[in-house]
């Protein structure tokens, strides 16, 4: 019985413990907050290494996120589907997830081709799709609000690619791309970014065999371009590189530039970098951090654990980082939404549409999740995660150079700073400093020029006009036996010299073009309709022609001028002495002569007897003194220091003016020996003179617009014909003037420089240029080459060759110089007049100030009455002699006779003896000066002994 009791007790204890445990577990469960499960679909090519890498990151993201946020009320539940690398299968997987699983969002798909139909399906069912690897810009054109791209659009990298191409000066590239949405999507953006570069296209099918790839590469090898930009799926792209290496297209002078998608997958599936030596690439920048390195190590262990049969050299890529950040963003957005309404409404079930797509439900949770996703921002493993317009925004790209087994970063590109040297961290205008040292294909360190002479012998078709004259500009001949056309002349030499300076090879093949009535518009239309690749010759750039073709910069002087005969100017103009100075200079000089005369009179009137007397005498003296300074013939003494200061300054001004006048008058009398017979268009029209123009030129319409009648217009086709017409004149059936482009007129002058001259007016034109098709890259390249020619000595050599400029320079002076002895104007001397004016004004201020201060008692004296009386008194004082001046004191002393003494002054003291004529003037002056001071001293002594004598001397001074 004791055993039974013991057994019963043990059973009771065990049941009690079990009950207590269940109670505790129930309490724990009741204490926890309930969680909501959110279904999320994943559509990937699950059997590929790429998808396995990204799926590992997705699972780790979920684990890390909820490990960091254990109290969150939502949990994502993943439902993976295999798209089997097929577009249809990817759509079927998405349909299954939406219809059967009723997922709230879908992660995927792998490629841009799979994404298009899935996006439309998700838009219909309001289920957000988040892709981390579909990069085609064409997907954006679907404009679905439920499509989120947690990766970079391919168009984000085109500016970085263009910056690399432009930094090395390559003018032509070949874009090799795959024939699907991935390849086609980037081409429009790439062409826009490379607008100054000629972009050729090479398309390779996704199903291309090795032979088809080799065939396309051999075709590219025969072309002149050696810069290749490759954009396609990494598997196909690296097949292309392997075949290119096999046929020698990864050797010296070749350039290969990989897009972001290929650069990020260089070492995928254990690829060796040995097959890609020297290639360049752009790759989105991922900032290194301790967090990223720790994740890389954890990911490596996790991946090998989940996929034990795979290779050990599989590496984490940026797409896996974007996949990690996508799950983090989705989990964050879900937590911020209201999960009470997570059902589907089957609105289409009421219709007669019984297909799977027709019976798709609509997620009521989608719109709220859509709004929450748009507000998610955080710092992820791949960088800042922020969806602008539902996709990531590119910030920085690294420029990669494959050297050995290393992906060397040689530079970076940002939208704000452009290319930046990795070593210096600074931008620069010099292309060789924008990037670090580059090792090119073939282990070359020299920058490839980007082109080679084409092996297929392709040439550009260049049209050359057939002319009746002016063969020094262009002359075209055709061999009747070989039918080979050759061209020569000034325009041809300029064109060929410009082609030699291009960064690629261009071989022109000339074609003889005879235009009706020598109308060059016909040649322009030949380029416009594609018959010709270019037109070279003496073609004037006009607004009408530029509507059909693009012109280079002009290679000649621009403008239309008038050529007229010269006649001897034997009888000089009666008033030629007035021509050296312009009217404003004559008037200003005359005004200053009057001003200086007045200023000198003002300063000298009170202290100098030469400037006193009747008013007419004072006026005459002032004018005489001022104008006589022109020849420095003034005889009046100037005793005032202020007047001396003004006169010194004015004499300097007069010296400069007279010397300049003399030099310019000499030029007018000696250089100007010829003058034009006609000087203005108005005179020609008024007199009914005939004028000439070159046959077929646009100048005829210009002359009609000026008012010339049809009967007054005559055409010429050569310099000889123009000379004949000008020599005959209007009276003999010729012309009085010829109108044409300045370049043609100078060609005529090179033969007849002594007979004719170019005179005004000049009508603006753009000059001569070469015509190319619209948007041709050669237009800008040839224009830059022409600039280089004009700034160097080569252009002068070509001009001397065809126009004999050097030998004619000494024989024929420039007509413009001979006919334009420029008048001197006020602008040439305004500085001198400014100095003279300031000097006079300052002296005037000093004089007035001193005068008012000296007679301040008159202004301050209240007995004078009104202000008018005070001013009148000052004027009377000014008009009177300044008796305190040393000049009048000296003269008074010389004429004094003392009434105190009974004897007359000694002749030795008051009378000046005549001096011998043989004595020099200087000696005479010294002796007279000494005699004067002796007399003055003697008189002063006498005055001290007699007080009355002092008053007598003063009264004598007043007299």
């Amino acid at each position: 019985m004791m055993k039974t009791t013991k057994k019963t007790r043990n059973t009771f204890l065990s049941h009690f413990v079990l009950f207590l445990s269940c109670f505790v577990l129930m309490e724990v469960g009741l204490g926890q907050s309930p969680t909501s499960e959110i279904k999320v679909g994943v559509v990937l090519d699950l059997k590929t290494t790429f998808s396995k890498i990204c799926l590992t990151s997705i699972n780790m993201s979920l684990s890390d996120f909820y490990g960091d946020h254990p109290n969150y009320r939502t949990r994502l539940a993943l439902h993976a589907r295999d798209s089997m690398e097929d577009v249809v299968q990817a759509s079927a997987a998405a349909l299954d997830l939406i219809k059967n699983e009723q997922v709230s969002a879908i992660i995927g798909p792998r490629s841009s081709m799979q994404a298009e139909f899935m996006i439309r399906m998700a838009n219909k069912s309001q289920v957000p799709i988040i892709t981390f690897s579909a990069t085609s810009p064409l997907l954006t054109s679907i404009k679905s609000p439920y499509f989120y791209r947690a990766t970079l659009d391919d168009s984000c990298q085109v500016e970085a690619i263009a910056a690399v191409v432009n930094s090395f000066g390559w003018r032509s590239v070949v874009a090799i791309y795959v024939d699907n949405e991935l390849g086609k999507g980037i081409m429009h953006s790439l062409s826009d970014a490379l607008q100054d570069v000629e972009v050729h296209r090479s398309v390779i099918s996704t199903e291309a065999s090795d032979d088809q790839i080799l065939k396309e590469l051999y075709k590219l090898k025969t072309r002149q371009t050696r810069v290749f930009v490759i954009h396609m799926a990494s598997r196909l792209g690296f097949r292309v590189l392997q075949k290119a290496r096999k046929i020698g297209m990864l050797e010296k002078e070749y350039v290969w530039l990989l897009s972001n998608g290929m650069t990020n997958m260089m070492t995928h599936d254990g690829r060796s970098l040995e097959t890609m030596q020297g290639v360049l690439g752009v790759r989105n920048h991922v900032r290194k951090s301790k967090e990223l390195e720790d994740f890389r190590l954890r990911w490596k262990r996790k991946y090998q654990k989940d996929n034990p049969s795979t290779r050990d050299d599989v590496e984490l890529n940026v797409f896996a980082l974007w996949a990690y950040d996508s799950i983090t963003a989705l989990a964050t957005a879900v937590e911020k939404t209201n999960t009470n309404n997570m059902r589907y409404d089957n609105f289409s079930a009421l219709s007669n549409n019984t297909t799977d797509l027709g019976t798709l439900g609509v997620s009521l949770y989608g719109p709220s999740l859509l709004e929450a996703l748009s507000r998610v921002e955080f710092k992820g493993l791949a960088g800042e995660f922020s969806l602008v317009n539902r996709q990531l925004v590119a910030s920085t790209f690294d420029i990669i150079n494959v050297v050995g087994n290393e992906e060397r970063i040689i530079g970076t590109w940002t939208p704000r700073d452009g290319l930046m040297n990795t070593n210096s961290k600074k931008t620069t205008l010099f292309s060789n400093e924008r990037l670090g040292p580059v090792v090119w294909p073939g282990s070359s360190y020299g920058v490839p020029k980007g082109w080679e002479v084409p092996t297929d012998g392709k040439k550009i078709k260049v049209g050359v006009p057939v002319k009746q004259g002016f063969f020094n500009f262009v002359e075209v001949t055709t061999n009747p036996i070989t039918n080979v056309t050759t061209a020569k002349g000034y325009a041809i030499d300029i064109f060929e010299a410009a082609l030699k300076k291009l960064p690629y090879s261009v071989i022109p093949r000339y074609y003889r073009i005879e235009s009706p009535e020598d109308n060059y518009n016909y040649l322009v239309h030949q380029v416009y309709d594609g018959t010709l690749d270019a037109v070279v010759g003496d073609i004037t750039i006009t607004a009408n022609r530029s509507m059909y073709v693009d012109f280079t910069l002009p290679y000649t002087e621009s403008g239309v001028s008038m050529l007229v005969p010269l006649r001897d100017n034997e009888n000089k103009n009666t008033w030629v002495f007035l021509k050296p100075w312009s009217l404003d200079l004559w008037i200003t000089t005359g005004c200053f002569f009057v001003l200086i005369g007045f200023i000198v009179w003002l300063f000298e009137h009170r202290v100098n007897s030469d400037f006193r007397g009747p008013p007419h005498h004072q006026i005459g003296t002032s004018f005489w003194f001022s104008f006589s300074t022109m020849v420095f013939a003034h005889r009046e003494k100037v005793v005032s220091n202020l007047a001396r200061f003004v006169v010194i300054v004015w004499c300097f001004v007069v010296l400069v003016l007279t010397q300049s006048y003399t030099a310019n008058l000499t030029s007018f009398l000696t250089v100007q020996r010829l003058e034009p017979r006609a000087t203005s268009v108005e005179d020609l029209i008024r007199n009914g003179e005939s004028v000439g123009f070159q046959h077929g030129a646009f100048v005829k319409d210009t002359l009609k617009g000026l008012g010339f009648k049809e009967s007054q217009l005559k055409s010429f086709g050569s310099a000889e014909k123009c000379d004949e017409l000008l020599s005959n004149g209007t009276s003999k059936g010729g012309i009085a003037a010829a109108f044409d482009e300045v370049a043609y007129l100078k060609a005529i002058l090179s033969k007849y420089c002594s007979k004719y001259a170019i005179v005004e007016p000049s009508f603006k034109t753009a000059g001569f240029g070469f015509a190319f098709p619209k948007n041709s890259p050669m237009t800008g390249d040839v224009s830059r080459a022409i600039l280089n020619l004009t700034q160097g000595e080569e252009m002068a050599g070509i001009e001397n060759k065809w126009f004999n400029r050097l030998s004619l320079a000494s024989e024929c002076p420039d007509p413009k110089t001979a006919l334009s002895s420029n008048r001197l104007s006020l602008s040439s001397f305004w500085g001198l007049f400014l100095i003279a004016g300031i000097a006079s004004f300052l002296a005037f201020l000093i004089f007035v100030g001193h005068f008012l201060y000296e007679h301040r008692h008159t202004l301050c004296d209240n007995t004078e009455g009104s202000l008018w009386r005070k001013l009148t008194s000052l004027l009377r004082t000014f008009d009177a002699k300044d008796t305190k001046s040393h000049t009048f004191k000296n003269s008074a002393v010389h004429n004094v006779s003392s009434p105190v003494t009974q004897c007359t002054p000694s002749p030795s003291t008051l009378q000046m003896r005549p001096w011998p004529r043989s004595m020099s003037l200087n000696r005479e002056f010294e002796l007279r000066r000494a005699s004067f001071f002796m007399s003055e001293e003697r008189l002063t002594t006498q005055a001290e002994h007699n007080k009355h004598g002092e008053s007598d001397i003063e009264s004598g001074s007043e007299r």
Side-chain angles (χ1 to χ4, degrees):
M1 184 175 179
M2 290 181 64
K3 290 182 178 180
T4 302
T5 303
K6 187 176 182 180
K7 184 177 181 181
T8 302
R9 188 181 298 154
N10 291 337
T11 302
F12 173 77
L13 289 173
S14 63
H15 282 84
F16 178 76
V17 171
L18 180 61
F19 171 77
L20 186 62
S21 300
C22 291
F23 180 78
V24 171
L25 290 174
M26 288 177 62
E27 289 294 326
V28 172
L30 291 173
Q32 290 180 345
S33 58
T35 58
S36 299
E37 183 180 274
I38 310 299
K39 294 182 179 181
V40 176
V42 178
V43 179
L44 293 173
D45 305 328
L46 296 179
K47 294 181 180 179
T48 62
T49 303
F50 177 86
S51 296
K52 292 177 181 179
I53 293 172
C54 295
L55 195 59
T56 300
S57 292
I58 290 173
N59 291 327
M60 292 181 67
S61 178
L62 278 179
S63 177
D64 292 346
F65 184 80
Y66 291 118
D68 294 337
H69 308 93
N71 297 325
Y72 275 14
R73 57 183 177 80
T74 56
R75 294 292 186 273
L76 299 185
L78 302 181
H79 296 262
R81 296 292 186 271
D82 189 3
S83 56
M84 301 179 184
E85 302 183 62
D86 183 72
V87 175
V88 177
Q89 190 61 40
S91 301
L95 179 63
D96 175 59
L97 290 169
I98 294 173
K99 186 174 183 179
N100 299 325
E101 297 294 344
Q102 293 192 341
V103 295
S104 299
I106 294 177
I107 302 294
R110 161 71 180 93
S111 67
S112 300
M113 288 69 68
Q114 297 170 344
E116 182 176 359
F117 188 73
M118 286 179 58
I119 294 171
R120 299 183 187 278
M121 190 188 307
N123 190 51
K124 182 179 178 63
S125 59
Q126 295 186 0
V127 176
I129 286 185
I130 306 173
T131 181
F132 54 83
S133 56
T135 59
S136 174
L138 295 179
L139 299 178
T140 307
S141 63
I142 301 176
K143 297 181 180 179
S144 171
Y146 290 91
F147 173 59
Y148 282 85
R149 199 198 306 263
T151 182
L152 296 182
D153 186 331
D154 281 336
S155 61
C156 296
Q157 62 183 312
V158 296
E159 295 293 341
I161 293 174
V164 174
V165 173
N166 292 327
S167 68
F168 292 106
W170 298 319
R171 308 306 304 159
S172 179
V173 301
V174 176
I176 306 176
Y177 62 98
V178 64
D179 188 17
N180 58 21
E181 286 81 355
L182 175 65
K184 295 176 183 177
I186 196 177
M187 289 311 299
H188 180 72
S189 300
L190 184 62
S191 298
D192 288 345
L194 294 169
Q195 57 183 351
D196 295 330
V197 178
E198 187 176 9
V199 180
H200 305 278
R201 300 189 180 190
S202 175
V203 183
I204 294 180
S205 171
T206 55
E207 306 297 331
S209 63
D210 290 349
D211 290 340
Q212 290 173 328
I213 293 174
L214 284 172
K215 181 180 179 181
E216 182 66 20
L217 289 176
Y218 274 121
K219 184 172 69 175
L220 296 177
K221 192 175 182 180
T222 61
R223 296 180 180 177
Q224 67 178 10
T225 304
R226 290 294 181 263
V227 181
F228 303 99
V229 178
I230 183 167
H231 176 71
M232 55 185 63
S234 60
R235 184 185 304 174
L236 177 61
F238 290 111
R239 280 179 60 204
V240 172
L241 286 176
Q242 288 175 351
K243 301 306 176 185
R245 185 169 184 253
K246 181 179 179 180
I247 63 174
M249 293 182 69
L250 258 75
E251 299 298 331
K252 188 176 180 180
E253 292 301 328
Y254 281 89
V255 179
W256 290 85
L257 182 56
L258 309 185
S259 64
N260 181 50
M262 290 189 63
T263 309
N264 277 307
M265 302 293 289
M266 275 185 173
T267 57
H268 183 65
D269 277 345
R271 294 191 185 100
S272 173
L273 295 179
E274 290 295 330
T275 61
M276 296 175 276
Q277 292 300 298
V279 303
L280 300 179
V282 295
R283 183 174 67 190
N284 61 287
H285 177 74
V286 178
R287 187 184 299 273
K288 294 182 179 180
S289 64
K290 186 178 184 303
E291 181 184 2
L292 179 60
E293 292 304 316
D294 292 342
F295 174 77
R296 193 184 300 276
L297 295 176
R298 290 192 300 113
W299 178 90
K300 190 77 172 179
R301 292 193 295 268
K302 174 69 174 172
Y303 181 81
Q304 291 176 351
K305 180 180 179 181
D306 294 343
N307 305 280
S309 61
T310 57
R311 302 167 58 100
D312 294 335
D313 55 358
V314 176
E315 295 291 338
L316 184 68
N317 57 52
V318 71
F319 296 102
L321 299 180
W322 282 327
Y324 184 96
D325 292 342
S326 299
I327 294 298
T328 302
L330 181 59
T332 303
V334 166
E335 184 64 26
K336 295 179 180 180
T337 57
N338 183 3
T339 58
N340 294 331
N341 193 14
M342 300 190 63
R343 60 186 178 85
Y344 276 64
D345 273 353
N346 295 321
F347 299 115
S348 57
L350 300 177
S351 65
N352 295 327
N353 193 340
T354 58
T355 63
D356 288 339
L357 292 177
T359 58
L360 273 180
V362 177
S363 173
L364 300 180
Y365 178 61
S368 59
L369 180 58
L370 195 72
E371 184 179 355
L373 272 172
S374 300
R375 296 197 301 266
V376 172
E377 292 183 4
F378 62 93
K379 185 176 182 180
L381 289 178
E384 294 296 329
F385 188 95
S386 177
L387 298 174
V388 179
N389 294 326
R390 300 184 299 280
Q391 64 183 14
L392 285 183
V393 179
S395 57
T396 305
F397 284 93
D398 293 330
I399 312 302
I400 306 299
N401 181 211
V402 179
V403 181
N405 289 320
E406 178 187 1
E407 301 171 35
R408 184 181 299 172
I409 300 176
I410 59 174
T412 58
W413 179 90
T414 62
R416 186 186 67 178
D417 299 325
L419 279 183
M420 186 165 54
N421 194 308
T422 305
N423 298 326
S424 64
K425 300 296 181 183
K426 294 180 180 179
T427 57
T428 175
L429 296 176
F430 303 101
S431 59
N432 59 343
E433 297 179 5
R434 291 180 185 175
L435 298 174
V438 181
V439 179
W440 303 97
S443 300
S444 172
Y445 291 91
V447 178
K449 59 180 178 289
W451 60 272
E452 290 290 340
V453 176
T455 57
D456 60 354
K458 182 180 179 181
K459 302 178 181 180
I460 63 171
K461 295 184 292 184
V462 179
V464 181
V466 176
K467 296 181 64 65
Q468 300 177 1
F470 294 100
F471 296 120
N472 46 0
F473 277 97
V474 60
E475 182 179 7
V476 57
T477 57
T478 302
N479 191 314
I481 300 176
T482 61
N483 201 30
V484 175
T485 300
T486 58
K488 63 180 181 179
Y490 175 69
I492 301 300
D493 282 3
I494 294 293
F495 179 67
E496 293 183 349
L499 293 184
K500 293 178 182 178
K501 293 185 177 294
L502 298 182
Y504 46 86
S505 175
V506 175
I507 304 175
R509 177 179 292 172
Y510 297 112
Y511 290 84
R512 177 189 182 98
I513 306 296
E514 297 186 20
S515 56
E517 297 183 358
D518 291 341
N519 191 338
Y520 282 7
N521 292 335
Y522 175 77
L523 278 78
V524 171
H525 281 280
Q526 292 277 303
V527 178
Y528 175 69
D529 61 21
T531 304
L532 298 173
D533 296 322
V535 171
V536 173
D538 49 345
I539 304 172
T540 303
I541 303 171
T542 64
N544 180 56
R545 293 171 181 173
S546 63
M547 295 172 61
Y548 303 96
V549 296
D550 284 342
F551 284 97
T552 63
L553 290 176
Y555 62 89
T556 61
E557 186 177 350
S558 61
V560 173
S561 284
M562 183 169 68
L563 185 74
V564 296
L566 293 173
R567 62 183 175 188
D568 289 336
N569 186 17
E570 296 295 343
N571 297 321
K572 299 298 180 182
N573 194 317
T574 306
W575 303 100
V576 69
F577 68 89
L578 296 176
K579 290 185 177 181
W581 284 1
S582 62
L583 180 62
D584 57 350
L585 183 57
W586 278 115
I587 294 175
T588 304
T589 304
C591 291
F592 262 83
F593 273 120
V594 174
L595 174 65
I596 297 301
F598 171 74
I599 292 294
V600 172
W601 171 84
L602 192 71
F603 297 159
E604 296 291 314
H605 174 65
R606 302 186 68 235
V607 298
N608 193 338
S609 299
D610 290 339
F611 290 88
R612 298 190 61 81
H616 65 275
H617 175 74
Q618 297 183 43
I619 294 173
T621 302
S622 300
F623 278 103
W624 158 256
F625 179 85
S626 176
F627 282 92
S628 63
T629 56
M630 282 193 299
V631 291
F632 304 99
H634 48 284
R635 59 180 180 79
E636 291 78 10
K637 294 181 180 180
V638 180
V639 298
S640 169
N641 288 330
L642 290 176
R644 290 170 179 172
F645 169 70
V646 172
V647 169
I648 289 174
V649 174
W650 177 242
C651 285
F652 173 73
V653 174
V654 169
L655 176 65
V656 175
L657 289 174
T658 54
Q659 294 298 322
S660 302
Y661 175 84
T662 303
N664 212 30
L665 180 61
T666 303
S667 174
F668 270 88
L669 295 175
T670 57
V671 176
Q672 186 181 352
R673 301 195 180 277
L674 300 173
E675 65 178 12
R677 294 184 180 180
T679 57
S680 68
V681 174
E682 291 76 14
D683 291 342
L684 294 173
I685 297 175
R686 187 187 314 103
N687 299 330
E689 300 281 3
S690 297
V691 295
F693 64 94
Q694 189 177 169
H695 182 64
F698 72 98
V699 179
K700 181 178 181 181
D701 296 331
T702 303
L703 294 176
K704 287 183 177 179
L706 292 174
F708 286 99
K709 299 178 181 179
E710 184 74 29
S711 59
Q712 292 178 267
L713 305 179
K714 295 186 179 182
S715 64
F716 56 86
S718 63
E720 293 76 13
K721 181 64 176 178
C722 181
D723 173 54
E724 179 184 345
L725 291 173
L726 287 171
S727 299
N728 292 335
T730 305
S731 60
K732 297 181 181 181
I735 58 177
F739 289 83
D740 212 337
E741 290 270 2
V742 174
Y744 289 123
L745 300 183
K746 286 189 173 181
I748 298 173
L749 284 179
S750 66
K751 292 185 177 181
Y752 310 103
C753 62
S754 61
K755 298 175 63 178
Y756 308 109
I758 300 175
V759 298
E760 301 294 338
S762 179
F763 308 99
K764 292 294 183 182
T765 61
F768 295 161
F770 306 131
F772 290 93
K774 281 285 187 181
N775 300 319
S776 171
M778 285 192 65
T779 307
D781 296 339
V782 175
S783 295
R784 280 183 283 272
I786 290 173
L787 283 178
N788 291 331
L789 283 173
T790 55
Q791 295 173 0
E793 297 180 357
E794 191 172 357
M795 178 69 84
I798 295 174
E799 289 181 352
N800 183 52
K801 173 183 176 181
W802 292 103
F803 301 110
N804 202 21
R805 295 281 168 84
L806 293 180
S807 60
L808 290 172
S810 57
E811 300 174 7
C812 302
D814 189 354
K816 288 186 177 181
T817 303
L819 293 171
S820 59
S821 297
N822 295 325
R823 290 185 172 188
L824 296 175
S825 64
L826 178 61
S827 60
S828 304
F829 300 103
W830 71 269
L832 287 174
F833 288 115
L834 180 65
I835 294 172
I838 292 175
S840 301
F841 181 71
L842 291 177
F844 175 76
L845 289 181
I846 295 172
F847 174 81
V848 171
H850 182 266
F851 178 78
L852 294 177
Y853 177 79
E854 190 177 31
H855 299 85
R856 61 189 181 277
H857 60 277
T858 303
L859 293 174
C860 298
D861 189 2
N862 295 327
T863 61
E864 290 289 338
S866 64
L867 179 62
W868 175 254
R869 296 185 62 184
K870 294 179 181 180
L871 293 176
T872 304
S873 177
L874 286 176
L875 289 175
R876 283 198 301 268
T877 303
F878 173 77
D879 187 54
K881 286 185 179 182
D882 185 4
T883 57
K884 297 179 181 180
S885 173
H886 66 281
T887 55
F888 293 123
K889 282 184 178 182
N890 293 343
S891 60
V893 170
H894 278 260
N895 295 309
V896 86
S897 59
S898 176
V900 178
T901 58
Q902 299 298 322
C903 61
T904 60
S906 172
S908 62
T909 59
L910 294 181
Q911 295 180 1
M912 300 299 176
R913 299 176 181 176
W915 299 91
R917 292 185 179 181
S918 60
M919 186 175 294
S920 66
L921 293 177
N922 289 338
R923 178 61 179 168
E924 176 185 354
F925 173 76
E926 292 296 332
L927 292 175
R928 289 183 181 272
R929 185 169 178 270
S931 174
F932 162 72
F933 282 114
M934 291 174 61
S935 301
E936 185 177 24
E937 182 179 359
R938 208 174 277 140
L939 288 172
T940 303
T941 304
Q942 292 177 1
E944 289 177 352
H945 288 85
N946 195 324
K947 294 181 181 180
H948 298 288
E950 182 176 344
S951 60
D952 291 341
I953 293 175
E954 289 179 356
S955 60
S957 299
E958 290 176 357
R959 289 191 299 270

